Amino acid sequence: MGALFALLLASALAAIYSKYHSRQVFIEIQKQEKILDQYDVEWGQLQLELTTQADQSKIELSAREQLKLVMPERDKIIYLKP
């Protein structure tokens, strides 16, 4: 009878540990999915920035070729504070 009780107790403890472990794994999966979502947002922002810079490059090329504009010398550039 004692062996049966010990076996029942061991089985109950194993079930509790299994449930606890599965919850811990689930929590970790949720954290990693949140991080992945943040990386997806950052990737989209970087793609948008890349596209914007490519457009600026096209504008600069067009200004140089069609309008014959040139960049001023470094010492002649004036920066304004907002």
Side-chain angles (χ1 to χ4, degrees), residues 18-45:
S18 176
K19 187 68 171 178
Y20 170 77
H21 184 68
S22 69
R23 285 183 181 166
Q24 292 299 105
V25 170
F26 179 76
I27 290 169
E28 185 62 30
I29 288 171
Q30 293 295 325
K31 287 179 185 177
Q32 294 301 321
E33 285 179 347
K34 186 176 181 180
I35 291 171
L36 181 62
D37 288 344
Q38 290 172 348
Y39 283 138
D40 282 341
V41 168
E42 185 178 352
W43 173 252
Q45 290 172 343

Side-chain angles (χ1 to χ4, degrees), residues 2-13:
L4 187 57
F5 180 73
L7 186 62
L8 180 64
L9 184 61
S11 175
L13 289 175

Side-chain angles (χ1 to χ4, degrees), residues 46-70:
L46 289 172
Q47 291 291 76
L48 181 61
E49 184 178 336
L50 181 64
T51 303
T52 302
Q53 288 182 358
D55 288 344
Q56 290 175 354
S57 175
K58 289 178 185 177
I59 291 170
E60 184 178 345
L61 182 63
S62 177
R64 286 177 191 241
E65 290 179 353
Q66 294 176 359
L67 302 175
K68 307 296 184 210
L69 298 177
V70 294

